[in-house]
Amino acid sequence: MLTMKDIVRDNEASLREKSKPVELPPSKETKDTLNKMLEFLLNSQDDDIAEKYNLRPGVGIAAPQIGINEQLTVVHFDYDDKLYSYKLINPKIISHSVELAYLAGGEGCLSVDDDYEGYVLRYARITIKAFDENGEPLKLRFRGYPAIVLQHEIDHLNGILFYDHINKENPFAAPESAKEIN
Ligand code: K2U
Ligand code: NI
């Protein structure tokens, strides 16, 4: 099982690399990697397992965070009584709203041990094209918190970390029109 020692931290250059597209149909190795990533999220959200193995909770994880610079990410979380659980291969944002959104409490990252306060402005709504673990095409639309999570993860595939988006002069600057998400 993956634990925090397997998580690449932001002092490592590899976390800044652009991830390579994954060849389709997905290999058994790719499917195993996606399953290990999902297992980590499930373990990290289980109070007993997380405490036993000292796991930080995660609602998403991207392959570069476990040292695999390929375009793979998994998200798993409940929001507004809906389960969002996706294993995504080669995800790409193909369209997005003009409207922006941000989490009122800012963001964190499994790969970033320090706290970076401030608003991370992202698109309020996104449409993603990706492939599932069987290589079938997906087209998914997200808004609000789920959209924030997916953008955080897809950023990882481009070597971007959440604090790259925080306004250095005024970390809590946000346009009037941006949607605050609690
Ligand atoms: O990619 C990661 O490091 C996982 C992040 C994803 C994330 C961070 C901020 C905002 C949205 C998504 C971790 O899930 S951060 C820890 C966390 C845990 C539960 C709820 C929100 C954030
Ligand atoms: Ni992260």
Side-chain angles (χ1 to χ4, degrees), residues 15 60-62 65 107-112 122 152-153 156 160-162:
L15 207 61
I61 189 166
Q65 295 182 276
E107 296 190 12
C109 181
L110 294 169
S111 298
V112 178
R122 297 189 185 278
H152 178 113
E153 300 310 333
H156 275 300
I160 298 165
L161 297 176
F162 74 92

Side-chain angles (χ1 to χ4, degrees), residues 4-181:
M4 294 311 291
K5 69 170 177 32
D6 300 303
I7 302 292
V8 176
R9 296 320 203 270
D10 60 338
N11 62 330
E12 297 198 45
S14 72
L15 207 61
R16 291 302 192 166
E17 280 175 27
K18 277 183 79 64
S19 293
K20 293 182 291 300
V22 173
E23 214 174 297
L24 300 172
S27 63
K28 183 180 177 316
E29 191 184 2
T30 292
K31 292 180 189 177
D32 289 349
T33 299
L34 289 166
N35 287 329
K36 277 192 197 144
M37 291 161 71
L38 176 58
E39 182 195 46
F40 175 85
L41 296 180
L42 297 174
N43 288 341
S44 78
Q45 294 172 24
D46 178 302
D47 292 345
D48 298 333
I49 300 174
E51 186 181 356
K52 181 173 178 182
Y53 295 99
N54 196 26
L55 305 179
R56 280 184 63 192
V59 294
I61 189 166
Q65 295 182 276
I66 57 169
I68 299 174
N69 287 98
E70 296 180 11
Q71 293 177 22
L72 299 169
T73 186
V74 177
V75 299
H76 185 90
F77 58 93
D78 283 296
Y79 186 76
D80 271 357
D81 298 327
K82 184 174 182 297
L83 175 63
Y84 293 82
S85 189
Y86 294 97
K87 300 174 191 170
L88 299 177
I89 298 176
N90 301 337
K92 190 172 167 25
I93 296 173
I94 59 167
S95 67
H96 59 78
S97 59
V98 170
E99 187 186 22
L100 302 175
Y102 59 94
L103 295 185
E107 296 190 12
C109 181
L110 294 169
S111 298
V112 178
D113 293 330
D114 300 326
D115 287 336
Y116 287 86
E117 290 203 332
Y119 295 149
V120 179
L121 287 168
R122 297 189 185 278
Y123 301 122
R125 294 177 297 285
I126 58 173
T127 301
I128 291 176
K129 267 198 172 173
F131 295 88
D132 68 15
E133 61 186 325
N134 301 312
E136 295 302 319
L138 292 170
K139 186 173 179 183
L140 303 165
R141 288 182 180 78
F142 298 103
R143 61 181 55 221
Y145 179 73
I148 299 280
V149 174
L150 269 298
Q151 289 172 82
H152 178 113
E153 300 310 333
I154 291 173
D155 263 358
H156 275 300
L157 305 182
N158 292 305
I160 298 165
L161 297 176
F162 74 92
Y163 50 69
D164 300 344
H165 296 287
I166 295 174
N167 182 314
K168 293 182 185 35
E169 286 68 48
N170 176 1
F172 294 94
E176 272 294 298
S177 57
K179 209 165 134 187
E180 183 172 284
I181 298 168

